Amino acid sequence: MAPETTQQAPRGAPTLPARALLPFILPAVVVGVAASLLFIGVSTAAEQLQHVLWGPLPEALGVGRYSVLWMFSMLVATGIAVGLVVWKVPGHAGPDPATLGLNAPVLPPVVLPGLVLATALMLAGGPSLGPENPIIAVNVALAAWLGGRLLPRTPGALWPVLAEAATIGALFGTPVAAALVISESLAGRPMRGRLWDNLFAPLTAGACGAITTTLMAHPSFDLGLPPMGHPDGKDLLAGLVIASAAAVLGMCAVYAFPYVHAVFRRLRHPMLMLPAGGVVLGALGALGGHLTLFKGLSEVGELSRDPDGWTAGQFATMSAVKLAALLVAASCGFRGGRIFPSVFVGTALGLCAHALVPAVHPSLAVATGVLGILLAITRQGWVSLFTAAVLVASPSIIALLCIASLPAWLLVTGRPQMQLREDGTPLR
């Protein structure tokens, strides 16, 4: 009789000792606080400039602050101003933003002043982009440059990870978002120790970035929509339909992205590309109204304060206009990210569904609309789920979001992304 053989289950990776993690705490704390302060500084400066450009200035000129004339003039002027920065400032405000995502390359220091200036001008002037991509890029470059000089024995690959986690924590006001994004990026990579060992330093940086932003800026993503009760089968069906429809709408923009980008690239010069983009954005602003301008976070709050204040057609128009404005702004050279304007698109789309079918709960409609759009635009599953969940204060909605994400993900995975290679072809 053959001897009995036994198979031992593979053991998990051993955890790292505390002494291996302790040296990373101080660098993570410093990077977290510094990344948040830079984000707050750029955002505050942009908000102050926005207040002047869209308040006292048009009033002094006797023009309505959100009149068609002023919206058109400001967006064209913003295109000219950012075009001048890209053209004349050393470093040209970094590479083509259409080629960048949340995982930013380490840019040379000469690029950073122009990138910060172009980002602040964009945020104040009204184009439909958020601060996330350029702020992450600036923080990554600063952390890598300064960290490598001040602490040369610290592994160089650590600094970009800390800076990215810190900035995401600062942007969302919670380290959970940073931990989710970093864990997703670590998937499939060889790691020393357990996953939590590898998340220890980034989570520290993300927590310090989040708490710094919370203490100084008091961010809030809760839209104040009525909480949802116990879900039923109709809610499940509505969530599946809205998330899938939002993903399809987002993929329309993704497929159009390389073609719109190619049209602007034919102009070749930033002083042609960006003002031309401003002209198109001005026309879109006139069509969609002032709520379709800017990064969209404050405007989302205005929509949610009165979910029944617009018709389904108005919500649909704002959703389509905002998505088109995001597509144009990301194609013509404005420096900015796509998460925050996508949140506006998903919110308007969800409220459109609620207006069409009042039985659909507004919290469910908004959360699943945001989920589907973000899955298509960012291709970041955890960020999409997290952002959709924090917009509504309904714990019961989380399970519905997880289920609704499944068909939406099948619609977007393996298809082109809203990020291009240097030759203009889309990533997959």
Side-chain angles (χ1 to χ4, degrees):
M1 187 175 180
E4 185 179 353
T5 60
T6 59
Q7 290 185 343
Q8 186 176 1
R11 298 178 58 189
T15 58
L16 295 177
R19 65 177 181 273
L21 301 177
L22 287 173
F24 299 133
I25 293 179
L26 181 59
V29 170
V30 172
V31 171
V33 173
S36 176
L37 291 177
L38 188 141
F39 163 63
I40 293 172
V42 173
S43 298
T44 302
E47 288 171 2
Q48 294 298 319
L49 180 58
Q50 177 184 334
H51 173 74
V52 173
L53 295 178
W54 296 88
L57 182 58
E59 291 173 359
L61 296 174
V63 181
R65 66 172 66 186
Y66 294 126
S67 65
V68 171
L69 173 62
W70 190 250
M71 287 192 292
F72 192 87
S73 301
M74 278 306 308
L75 285 161
V76 174
T78 302
I80 294 171
V82 176
L84 283 170
V85 173
V86 176
W87 180 28
K88 289 296 186 180
V89 174
H92 306 290
D96 183 352
T99 64
L100 301 178
L102 290 179
N103 298 320
V106 179
L107 301 174
V110 69
V111 171
L112 306 186
L115 182 55
V116 169
L117 180 57
T119 302
L121 291 171
M122 181 278 300
L123 291 172
S128 293
L129 292 173
E132 60 274 15
N133 287 18
I135 295 297
I136 288 174
V138 171
N139 280 330
V140 164
L142 286 174
W145 183 58
L146 293 174
R149 282 157 178 77
L150 298 177
L151 294 174
R153 294 184 180 181
T154 302
L158 178 66
W159 298 111
V161 176
L162 292 181
E164 182 177 350
T167 311
I168 293 174
L171 284 163
F172 290 96
T174 171
V176 177
L180 293 175
V181 171
I182 298 301
S183 65
E184 191 170 10
S185 67
L186 289 174
R189 296 185 185 180
M191 293 184 294
R192 179 170 171 252
R194 299 288 181 94
L195 174 62
W196 197 252
D197 293 326
N198 290 269
L199 287 177
F200 181 83
L203 184 60
T204 303
C208 292
I211 196 64
T212 302
T213 301
T214 299
L215 292 174
M216 298 188 66
H218 312 290
S220 176
F221 288 88
D222 184 3
L223 297 181
L225 292 167
M228 184 178 172
H230 186 74
D232 55 24
K234 294 179 181 178
D235 295 323
L236 176 59
L237 177 61
L240 291 170
V241 171
I242 295 171
S244 299
V248 170
L249 178 63
M251 287 306 301
C252 292
V254 172
Y255 277 110
F257 187 45
Y259 300 101
V260 178
H261 180 265
V263 169
F264 283 105
R265 293 300 295 178
R266 290 194 185 100
L267 299 177
R268 297 184 179 275
H269 199 282
M271 285 304 295
L272 295 176
M273 295 166 55
L274 284 150
V279 170
V280 179
L281 291 174
L284 289 170
L287 177 63
H290 73 277
L291 289 179
T292 60
L293 303 179
F294 307 106
K295 66 182 180 183
L297 196 56
S298 299
E299 291 71 24
V300 162
E302 188 169 342
L303 288 182
S304 64
R305 280 192 290 272
D306 188 11
D308 300 315
W310 291 267
T311 65
Q314 289 172 317
F315 281 127
T317 299
M318 286 189 284
S319 181
V321 168
K322 186 69 171 182
L323 187 61
L326 165 61
L327 176 62
V328 171
S331 300
C332 70
F334 284 110
R335 273 52 179 171
R338 298 151 204 164
I339 292 177
F340 291 110
S342 297
V343 169
F344 181 96
V345 175
T347 300
L349 185 65
L351 293 176
C352 174
H354 169 67
L356 288 171
V357 185
V360 176
H361 197 282
S363 292
L364 173 66
V366 166
T368 50
V370 169
L371 172 67
I373 284 287
L374 284 178
L375 285 173
I377 299 297
T378 70
R379 220 57 57 90
Q380 296 272 351
W382 282 124
V383 167
S384 303
L385 275 168
F386 173 83
T387 305
V390 299
L391 291 175
V392 296
S394 297
S396 61
I397 211 169
I398 296 177
L400 290 176
L401 288 175
C402 291
I403 296 172
S405 70
L406 302 178
W409 183 255
L410 291 177
L411 289 169
V412 304
T413 186
R415 290 176 170 80
Q417 300 182 36
M418 201 169 185
Q419 184 177 344
L420 304 179
R421 299 184 179 90
E422 292 186 3
D423 62 0
T425 59
L427 293 175
R428 286 184 178 269

